[in-house]
Amino acid sequence: MILYITVAVFTALLAGMVDNHPQRKPHTVTSQQLTNRISLCAIFVTLFFLSACRLNVGNDYAKYVEFMHLVNCDSYVPTEIGFNLLVKFIYGLSGFENYLLVFAVYSFVTVLLFLLALYEQSDEFALSFFLFMALGYYFQTFSTVRYYLALAIAFYAMKFVLRRQWGRFLVLVLLGATFHKSLLVVIPLYFLASQRWKKWQLALAALFSTTFLFLQDFYLKVVVFLYPTYEDTEYLEGGTSYINILRCTAVLVFAGIVYLLERKGQKAEDGRFWFYLYLNLGALVLYTLCSFLPIISRIGYYLTVSQILFLPMLLARVKNAKWRRLFRAGIMLAAILYFAMYLRRAANDGVLVLPYKTFLFNDMVNILSDVN
């Protein structure tokens, strides 16, 4: 736990030195640009090595090692072709079952995509990075590595949605879906969130949302059709997150306050505001009305990850310095409390990112194939 807190504080301090909107001079590297490069490299190296050097850290680490072994043996595995080909390539290149290198590759790409997205898309890199760490997104990449690679791809692809570069968006999402097919869900969800909905359209959407209350069996059959491995398993039990409901509600209330203040000041709106707003509104609908769906949090995270961009954008629009400081303090305090709650359950089943172990000092436990 001390290690994770130290890493979070150290990288957050480095992030505080980054200005992702620096003044640029032709043919000249300014001192701020140099500081950005050094700080970003230091952040990346720290996060990458902490993730890449772990051993049996994460709730499904051993399961992934088992999957990789089965892939290498040409046995059936419920993983996508991208994952299988990557394992085949790395194991063939290494000459042995080098699962450590596979996890390292996932860590490298996932951390890189998150940092690039934060630097390119955030109104304030330091605050967005702080939320990225405090809300547990980084530490959760130790588990379900395929999913969090897909989440990083979705997060990075948001810029293409906002730019209406649909071709690039689709290519990136389809490529990512070869590693985790749940990523395909962002195609309709992000498209819908990018539209400027009229009041009557929102009313129809609200009416349609009520079908989640009356047609649960139908939607479960659709899920089983898309994910046949879920049939007759505990994954169909569903469940929701009251913390995420509270987070979405708080973000939407804050967005409403900022919107009303902007209308009073007659400030022009941009597409980002509505895109992030609709993503969080959609997440709230999912968490409240679709709790019967399996692993609803995986779909919800594709939507709520926008909060680490949305909150700094909203904060920047608060013109009153006193209120802006007050809102900033509230956001940071809430994030710190969330981080404390996350660390308290970090050793629990379903999380298991504690205790931290590294291959430098520990040996891998036997996987199922070794026992049999």
Side-chain angles (χ1 to χ4, degrees):
M1 185 180 296
I2 294 176
L3 174 64
Y4 290 170
I5 294 173
T6 302
V7 168
V9 172
F10 174 68
T11 53
L13 290 175
L14 287 172
M17 302 171 64
V18 175
D19 179 3
N20 58 322
H21 303 288
Q23 292 185 347
R24 303 181 183 275
K25 297 181 180 179
H27 313 296
T28 304
V29 177
T30 66
S31 59
Q32 183 59 58
Q33 288 175 311
L34 184 60
T35 300
N36 286 351
R37 294 174 185 178
I38 294 173
S39 299
L40 288 170
C41 284
I43 291 171
F44 173 79
V45 169
T46 301
L47 298 184
F48 166 65
F49 273 100
L50 183 69
S51 179
C53 292
R54 76 189 191 279
L55 180 73
N56 202 25
V57 177
N59 68 300
D60 51 6
Y61 190 101
K63 182 185 295 185
Y64 269 112
V65 176
E66 171 74 10
F67 284 163
M68 294 177 205
H69 172 73
L70 294 176
V71 168
N72 194 47
C73 296
D74 296 319
S75 300
Y76 169 77
V77 287
T79 49
E80 292 78 2
I81 188 172
F83 173 83
N84 300 343
L85 289 177
L86 178 65
V87 171
K88 280 279 192 180
F89 175 75
I90 292 178
Y91 278 19
L93 189 67
S94 302
F96 66 100
E97 296 193 354
N98 193 353
Y99 56 85
L100 291 173
L101 184 56
V102 178
F103 282 114
V105 170
Y106 267 91
S107 299
F108 185 94
V109 178
T110 303
V111 172
L112 180 64
L113 285 175
F114 270 120
L115 289 182
L116 283 175
L118 291 174
Y119 186 81
E120 294 176 358
Q121 300 179 52
S122 177
D123 285 55
E124 184 186 343
F125 177 84
L127 181 56
S128 287
F129 180 81
F130 171 79
L131 294 173
F132 170 65
M133 296 297 292
L135 296 180
Y137 287 107
Y138 167 69
F139 295 105
Q140 278 299 100
T141 63
F142 293 1
S143 301
T144 54
V145 294
R146 289 167 35 251
Y147 170 75
Y148 274 89
L149 172 63
L151 183 65
I153 292 172
F155 188 54
Y156 184 77
M158 285 182 182
K159 71 175 185 179
F160 298 127
V161 176
L162 293 169
R163 295 174 184 173
R164 304 288 174 175
Q165 295 175 330
W166 297 109
R168 296 184 180 185
F169 170 72
L170 287 173
V171 168
L172 192 56
V173 169
L174 292 175
L175 177 63
T178 65
F179 291 89
H180 204 287
K181 60 185 176 183
S182 70
L183 183 59
L184 293 173
V185 77
V186 306
I187 295 176
L189 291 180
Y190 284 12
F191 175 77
L192 291 173
S194 69
Q195 306 304 304
R196 280 297 300 270
W197 290 60
K198 300 182 184 299
K199 292 181 180 179
W200 66 269
Q201 292 173 322
L202 288 172
L204 286 178
L207 184 63
F208 172 78
S209 297
T210 61
T211 63
F212 293 122
L213 298 175
F214 307 111
L215 300 175
Q216 294 185 4
D217 291 339
F218 168 76
Y219 287 117
L220 282 174
K221 289 179 181 178
V222 172
V223 170
V224 172
F225 174 77
L226 295 174
Y227 292 90
T229 56
Y230 284 178
E231 191 170 10
D232 299 324
T233 68
E234 71 276 7
Y235 292 122
L236 288 182
E237 294 177 0
T240 191
S241 169
Y242 296 107
I243 294 296
N244 283 324
I245 291 174
L246 181 61
R247 271 175 53 183
C248 290
T249 303
V251 169
L252 290 171
V253 169
F254 184 36
I257 293 172
V258 173
Y259 177 74
L260 292 175
L261 291 175
E262 285 191 345
R263 289 197 64 181
K264 184 178 180 180
Q266 296 183 343
K267 179 178 172 59
E269 303 155 5
D270 61 46
R272 288 189 309 155
F273 176 88
W274 293 105
F275 177 60
Y276 297 146
L277 181 79
Y278 288 143
L279 288 179
N280 282 275
L281 182 60
L284 183 61
V285 171
L286 288 177
Y287 285 125
T288 53
L289 300 181
C290 302
S291 61
F292 63 93
L293 292 176
I295 318 179
I296 191 64
S297 62
R298 291 193 177 184
I299 301 175
Y301 269 32
Y302 285 126
L303 307 179
T304 59
V305 70
S306 63
Q307 292 174 2
I308 60 182
L309 298 175
F310 195 23
L311 288 172
M313 189 200 80
L314 292 173
L315 196 62
R317 295 185 173 201
V318 179
K319 300 306 177 184
N320 185 288
K322 180 180 178 180
W323 281 105
R324 188 167 60 251
R325 287 194 296 269
L326 184 63
F327 282 131
R328 179 186 295 274
I331 291 170
M332 295 184 69
L333 178 60
I336 291 171
L337 290 175
Y338 185 94
F339 188 49
M341 292 171 57
Y342 175 78
L343 289 181
R344 284 191 62 184
R345 58 185 179 86
N348 294 351
D349 290 339
V351 186
L352 291 178
V353 297
L354 283 177
Y356 182 80
K357 299 176 184 177
T358 172
F359 67 86
L360 298 173
F361 307 110
N362 298 274
D363 296 321
M364 181 61 192
V365 298
N366 289 331
I367 59 175
L368 185 62
S369 294
D370 295 330
V371 175
N372 293 338

